[in-house]
Amino acid sequence: MRGQKSAMTIRPVDVGGVTVPNNIFCAPLAGYTDFAFRKLCYFYGAGLCFTEMVSAKGLKYNSEATRALLKKDASEKITAVQIFGSDPAVMRAACESEDLADFPIVDINMGCPVPKVFKNGEGSALLGNIPLAEKIVSECKKSGKAVTVKFRTGISQDKKITAEFAKMCEGAGADLIIVHGRTRDRYYAGEPDYEEIAAAKRAVGIPVIANGGIFSKADADKMIAETGADGVMLARAALYGPHVFAEIAGKNVPKDIGRDVLGQIADMLPYYGEKFTLVQMRKMTSFYIKGMRGAAEYRGRLFAADSLSRLYELVEEIFRSHGKDSGTVPESGAAQD
């Protein structure tokens, strides 16, 4: 696959009969990819966004905190919900539940590396139990939903199973796979393993989306050239600037971070209330200003803001001083993904 493509071609993707507008995806990010942030990513050109990671068990036991993660904006035409768990029956029940009725695509998390998830036999732990992983995919597909699987190249560097796992997913009924080009033990460090992603692409006939180390159009082009993947998924790069979707997609959408921040606040406030909105948007704004002159000082002042009115004042000050098109996406590899 290497060298066959010099640049990424932007095109629609068929996901189990669901047509996604383009092949630039926004990853599920716990604590970040809520409906307001997804709305912004779609505005800038993302083809498909994913909810935060949702516990299938949490839905089973009627957790209100879990259900809150499923809030959608009216403008979202197609959004994927990502679920995690290790019980095939519970996972299928989640797919078939009314809670997920508005989500035509269900993504199964088989890549989360965090200890709490891993120790429960969920997320990337399923890379070490292929028969169970296969049963989960098969049961979820019986729900009638389009099913995707996001997974890593293996649990450890000495045992990469990307192609084998990809074949299993396809055989069990998955409509698309997303390969994070790192093993569980690497978390988010280092360059993604292009050859392992390429191996997955060679192994299956369903679409393969590549994830890891993509922070710019140049990174996206390199990923496609090196792997032959059908598209890319961005994670941390989106947090540092959702405008990156427009850059990769070639969309002429002017960047205006101040407008974006105020729009997110306006979307979140009626649903989440002032306290949560304040905390969340202090955090989000601190991401957006990374690379800006004086960012460290502004970040300290943002986190000290004790009211939305104070946050509004700071946003006005920051973006009046630096102009609309301010803030930068970090250099390739400068953040986790």
Side-chain angles (χ1 to χ4, degrees), residues 127 130 151-154 159-169 177-183 193-201 203-204 208:
L127 295 167
I130 292 181
F151 63 95
R152 288 172 174 258
T153 57
K159 191 178 181 184
K160 296 178 181 178
I161 59 168
T162 319
E164 178 185 1
F165 206 83
K167 288 179 183 177
M168 176 279 292
C169 290
I177 57 173
I178 303 152
V179 184
H180 183 152
R182 299 183 179 100
T183 50
D193 192 327
Y194 298 110
E195 180 51 41
E196 285 296 305
I197 300 173
K201 175 59 183 172
V204 299
V208 176

Side-chain angles (χ1 to χ4, degrees), residues 121-188:
E122 302 165 336
S124 60
L126 290 165
L127 295 167
N129 191 340
I130 292 181
L132 177 58
E134 182 176 28
K135 183 66 173 174
I136 289 171
V137 177
S138 176
E139 286 300 303
C140 287
K141 187 57 187 174
K142 289 175 184 176
S143 70
K145 299 275 191 183
V147 171
T148 67
V149 184
K150 187 173 188 290
F151 63 95
R152 288 172 174 258
T153 57
I155 291 178
S156 60
Q157 286 285 92
D158 61 351
K159 191 178 181 184
K160 296 178 181 178
I161 59 168
T162 319
E164 178 185 1
F165 206 83
K167 288 179 183 177
M168 176 279 292
C169 290
E170 181 179 41
D175 299 295
L176 175 147
I177 57 173
I178 303 152
V179 184
H180 183 152
R182 299 183 179 100
T183 50
R184 187 257 171 178
D185 59 353
R186 289 179 65 198
Y187 277 68
Y188 306 99

Side-chain angles (χ1 to χ4, degrees), residues 105 150 154 168 181 213 222 280 309 317:
I105 301 171
K150 187 173 188 290
M168 176 279 292
K222 180 179 180 180
Q280 183 73 358
S309 60
E317 177 186 341

Side-chain angles (χ1 to χ4, degrees), residues 18-301:
V18 180
T19 301
V20 173
N22 71 52
N23 51 349
I24 313 169
F25 292 6
C26 180
L29 292 166
Y32 298 102
T33 50
D34 60 23
F35 73 96
F37 181 71
R38 296 195 306 267
K39 179 180 179 180
L40 186 57
C41 293
Y42 282 129
F43 171 77
Y44 277 121
L48 181 66
C49 295
F50 292 67
T51 67
E52 299 177 56
M53 192 169 67
V54 173
S55 167
K57 192 177 292 184
L59 293 179
K60 176 181 178 180
Y61 291 108
N62 299 312
S63 166
E64 288 303 315
T66 300
R67 286 205 172 100
L69 301 175
L70 300 172
K71 165 69 176 174
K72 287 179 67 179
D73 184 79
S75 66
E76 294 184 76
K77 294 180 180 178
I78 303 174
T79 289
V81 57
Q82 188 188 70
I83 62 174
F84 74 100
S86 59
D87 184 320
V90 172
M91 294 286 277
R92 178 178 175 178
C95 293
E96 294 175 339
S97 69
E98 281 298 311
D99 294 310
L100 303 194
D102 288 339
F103 296 93
I105 301 171
V106 174
D107 181 66
I108 305 170
N109 183 306
M110 295 191 177
C112 181
V114 302
K116 182 178 179 180
V117 173
F118 187 83
K119 289 176 182 177
N120 285 336
E122 302 165 336
S124 60
L126 290 165
L127 295 167
N129 191 340
I130 292 181
L132 177 58
E134 182 176 28
K135 183 66 173 174
I136 289 171
V137 177
S138 176
E139 286 300 303
C140 287
K141 187 57 187 174
K142 289 175 184 176
S143 70
K145 299 275 191 183
V147 171
T148 67
V149 184
K150 187 173 188 290
F151 63 95
R152 288 172 174 258
T153 57
I155 291 178
S156 60
Q157 286 285 92
D158 61 351
K159 191 178 181 184
K160 296 178 181 178
I161 59 168
T162 319
E164 178 185 1
F165 206 83
K167 288 179 183 177
M168 176 279 292
C169 290
E170 181 179 41
D175 299 295
L176 175 147
I177 57 173
I178 303 152
V179 184
H180 183 152
R182 299 183 179 100
T183 50
R184 187 257 171 178
D185 59 353
R186 289 179 65 198
Y187 277 68
Y188 306 99
E191 192 172 38
D193 192 327
Y194 298 110
E195 180 51 41
E196 285 296 305
I197 300 173
K201 175 59 183 172
R202 292 192 296 267
V204 299
I206 57 176
V208 176
I209 304 297
N211 173 229
I214 303 167
F215 298 93
S216 66
K217 184 181 187 306
D219 290 338
D221 288 343
K222 180 179 180 180
M223 179 63 81
I224 296 301
E226 293 284 343
T227 68
D230 299 287
V232 296
M233 173 179 275
L234 280 63
R236 296 282 174 174
L239 296 181
Y240 288 111
H243 189 262
V244 69
F245 291 106
E247 294 168 4
I248 295 174
K251 288 187 64 175
N252 182 24
V253 182
K255 179 168 64 174
D256 186 339
I257 302 174
R259 174 204 62 204
D260 296 342
V261 171
L262 295 178
Q264 275 186 270
I265 293 173
D267 287 334
M268 293 175 67
L269 191 56
Y271 183 71
Y272 291 119
E274 181 168 345
K275 184 177 179 180
F276 181 89
T277 300
L278 173 63
V279 172
Q280 183 73 358
M281 290 312 300
R282 289 186 313 200
K283 180 173 64 174
M284 297 302 301
T285 306
S286 72
F287 274 118
Y288 297 155
I289 65 173
K290 187 176 179 66
M292 181 187 293
R293 188 177 68 255
E297 178 191 348
Y298 283 132
R299 193 170 292 113
R301 293 171 65 190

